[in-house]
Amino acid sequence: MCRPDFFTVSYRINPWMHPEKPTDTLLAVRQWESLYRIYLDLGFDVRLIDPVDGLPDMVYAANGGFVIDNIAYGASFTYAQRQPEGPAYMDWFRANGFDVRVPENVNEGEGDFLLVGDTILAGTGFRSASNSHHELAEISGREVVTLELVNPSFYHLDTAIAVLDPQPGFVDPNIAYLPSAFDEAGLAVLRERFPDALLVNEEDATVLGLNSFSDGHNVVIASRAKDFERQLAERGYNPIGVDLSELLLGGGGVKCCTLELRR
Ligand code: ARG
């Protein structure tokens, strides 16, 4: 995770961002700390990367790369404003003993790559280029399934899909998703692979309810995503709500602030 010490909205690269609206960096830090504390209370070993002045989106650590089997596939950002984050995260991975692969293709890490069982669901359409999906398939030796995103408000796959059962080797892992974020081909793939998926409504998706973190039982979600919360509880998960309203001004939520380190 990356403390939002330099968080603000000074440019607009997604429809959530309004640079003319003021932001409250201290409130962002306080809200981020509540998420950090939830992870510590759940027993996670949370590592921190130093924030960099002038990189206000660095708090969205999920975009810093994709890590699997100790291999860190670096990010190469779509927009110039975020490009320096790629090398900053790769330096951190190297310093912390990961096998770093410098990307050849544009990709925004776990924003667009979601591990479900042994498969990686991969988003394209707004940020990550589809050739990065092939690159990651080669690097990881995993099946990578391309999904086209069609709604600019749900520009990263992790704003449109929540992985509920992330445990490796889990039989029939489930997900939750927002159907209208996908084209017909993508929907057909999701329906076929995840017949029991939770379908999340527009209202909950619009508070980035899907942008959540699950350990297979506890699911950390936006506290305003009430119907999603109800569905999770019905299926036996333990939803834990957190308010990241300030970070929503940058177009990110729980999952965006969280990069998973799979050794
Ligand atoms: N302002 C950031 C951007 O538009 C938000 C990134 C959100 N991260 C995510 N994993 N969806 O790039």
Side-chain angles (χ1 to χ4, degrees):
M1 298 179 75
C2 179
R3 266 175 88 87
D5 288 339
F6 303 108
F7 175 75
T8 187
V9 175
S10 53
Y11 49 79
R12 187 162 205 244
I13 57 172
N14 70 54
W16 305 78
M17 302 174 86
H18 296 282
E20 68 285 1
K21 273 204 224 158
T23 51
D24 182 341
T25 305
L26 275 181
L27 179 59
V29 170
R30 242 183 289 131
Q31 292 180 340
W32 176 92
E33 277 173 348
S34 63
L35 177 63
Y36 178 51
R37 228 168 294 122
I38 288 171
Y39 289 142
L40 294 179
D41 289 346
L42 288 173
F44 288 104
D45 173 14
V46 185
R47 306 297 174 89
L48 301 177
I49 181 171
D50 288 334
V52 176
D53 195 358
L55 297 178
D57 275 339
M58 202 171 162
V59 59
Y60 305 114
N63 302 132
F66 180 83
V67 184
I68 189 160
D69 302 329
N70 209 52
I71 297 172
Y73 175 48
S76 170
F77 284 83
T78 312
Y79 294 106
Q81 292 95 332
R82 296 197 68 184
Q83 274 160 11
E85 293 182 45
Y89 275 93
M90 282 190 272
D91 286 348
W92 188 94
F93 292 134
R94 259 180 226 112
N96 286 274
F98 290 91
D99 172 7
V100 172
R101 306 297 169 87
V102 178
E104 278 168 20
N105 299 294
V106 170
N107 82 88
E108 299 196 349
E110 260 188 359
D112 277 319
F113 297 127
L114 302 176
L115 183 69
V116 191
D118 279 324
T119 297
I120 297 167
L121 301 179
T124 188
F126 297 103
R127 301 292 181 91
S128 301
S130 58
N131 50 12
S132 73
H133 301 181
H134 305 298
E135 195 179 357
L136 180 59
E138 241 166 64
I139 287 172
S140 68
R142 299 291 202 287
E143 176 194 29
V144 177
V145 176
T146 294
L147 297 167
E148 180 96 26
L149 294 162
V150 297
N151 181 338
S153 291
F154 304 103
Y155 55 95
H156 276 141
L157 193 62
D158 72 356
T159 65
I161 291 183
V163 179
L164 301 178
D165 304 307
Q167 310 92 312
F170 193 90
V171 184
D172 283 340
N174 208 2
I175 64 168
Y177 65 94
L178 172 69
S180 65
F182 298 93
D183 65 1
E184 270 312 315
L187 273 180
V189 169
L190 293 173
R191 287 191 191 115
E192 208 221 301
R193 288 185 179 243
F194 305 102
D196 295 325
L198 279 65
L199 302 183
V200 165
N201 65 32
E202 306 277 334
E203 201 181 331
D204 286 356
T206 304
V207 292
L208 288 185
L210 282 162
N211 194 250
S212 55
F213 170 81
S214 173
D215 65 10
H217 177 62
N218 302 293
V219 189
V220 187
I221 64 167
S223 49
R224 286 192 276 164
K226 288 298 174 198
D227 185 69
F228 184 32
E229 181 184 315
R230 180 191 58 76
Q231 291 197 60
L232 286 168
E234 246 173 46
R235 304 274 188 121
Y237 296 98
N238 178 42
I240 301 173
V242 60
D243 179 9
L244 298 182
S245 60
E246 203 56 29
L247 293 162
L248 197 61
L249 301 176
V254 171
K255 174 63 203 154
C256 298
C257 294
T258 313
L259 174 67
E260 292 169 59
L261 299 170
R262 304 177 189 88
R263 293 275 183 189

